[in-house]
Amino acid sequence: MTTTKAMFLSACWVSAVILTATIQTSQAWTTTTTTITTPRSLCHAQTTTTTRAASSSSTALFGKKKKKKSGGSNSSSSTKMQVKLLQHIPGTGQAGDVIMVNAIFFANKLRPEKLARAITDEEVRKDAEAKKEKSDALQAEAKALKELLDDTSDDDSSSSFVLEFLDNQTGPDGKKLFGGIGPKKLMESLRKDCKEFESYSKKFTKQVSVQDVEEQEVVEIECEEKESAYKDYSAAAAPTEQNEKEVSVSYSSLPKSDKMTIKHTGVFRIKVSLTKDMFAKVKVVVE
């Protein structure tokens, strides 16, 4: 009985020891697992965070660029505007021209230096009307002056207006002039002798100038007497007269070496511009 009890107690003690050892071993494994798992989870979290950061940076680096909105700086730089030039600008235009220029060029160059000003379509229309009125007035006045000055005669008859240079100093031959009469002197004399021309030249100075000087050439041509089909044998027949002569008058420009300067006496004709396409030919007598 005592032996059996001792064996039972011994078995209970062994069981208790085994159970305690088992519990301790289980706790030890639990602690180890927790220790190992925690770094792995942290590493996994760190890896996840790094991956996300790399992904976001990759997206920032390789993302598509946004398109610039239309109407920005590029469109403003190519904008054209209408301006009127106030001065002559080489390669751009003359004063008074209406042209289209870049808006930036106008803002940075033309406007600060007062080379041009912006102009509207209405102003352009008014300027065109004013120019037309001025052109019509110019043409009408030039036409009237041309009728007054023009020498349309081809002979030595008097024309409507004659510019005379009398009592000039000449050489021994009585023909060669001392100093000559150039374009400037011709214009001064024409203004002095013709008040209408003086008034016109003051208003349209740029239009008026001497374009050419021509010298008159007179050639006499003998005309042969036509024989009659019937001869007059009567004693009272009048003696034959000398052959008649015809006079041919023409004008030729002075040599270029003379530079439109009259250097001897004679009859001349100067070509004076009144407009771009209208000229008056004025008769000049030099004695």
Side-chain angles (χ1 to χ4, degrees), residues 111 144 256 265:
R111 184 170 59 187
K256 290 184 177 179
T265 59

Side-chain angles (χ1 to χ4, degrees), residues 234-252:
S234 63
T240 57
E241 297 180 356
Q242 292 183 351
N243 294 341
E244 295 181 357
K245 294 182 179 181
E246 288 185 357
V247 178
S248 174
V249 179
S250 61
Y251 288 88
S252 60

Side-chain angles (χ1 to χ4, degrees), residues 177-190:
L177 301 176
F178 287 109
I181 303 172
K184 184 177 179 180
K185 191 172 181 180
L186 288 168
M187 292 294 291
E188 289 176 353
S189 298
L190 186 57

Side-chain angles (χ1 to χ4, degrees), residues 145 148-149 161 190-198:
L145 188 60
L148 174 65
L149 298 176
F161 181 87
L190 186 57
R191 290 190 181 97
K192 182 179 178 181
D193 293 353
C194 183
K195 298 301 180 183
E196 293 83 356
F197 180 79
E198 181 185 18

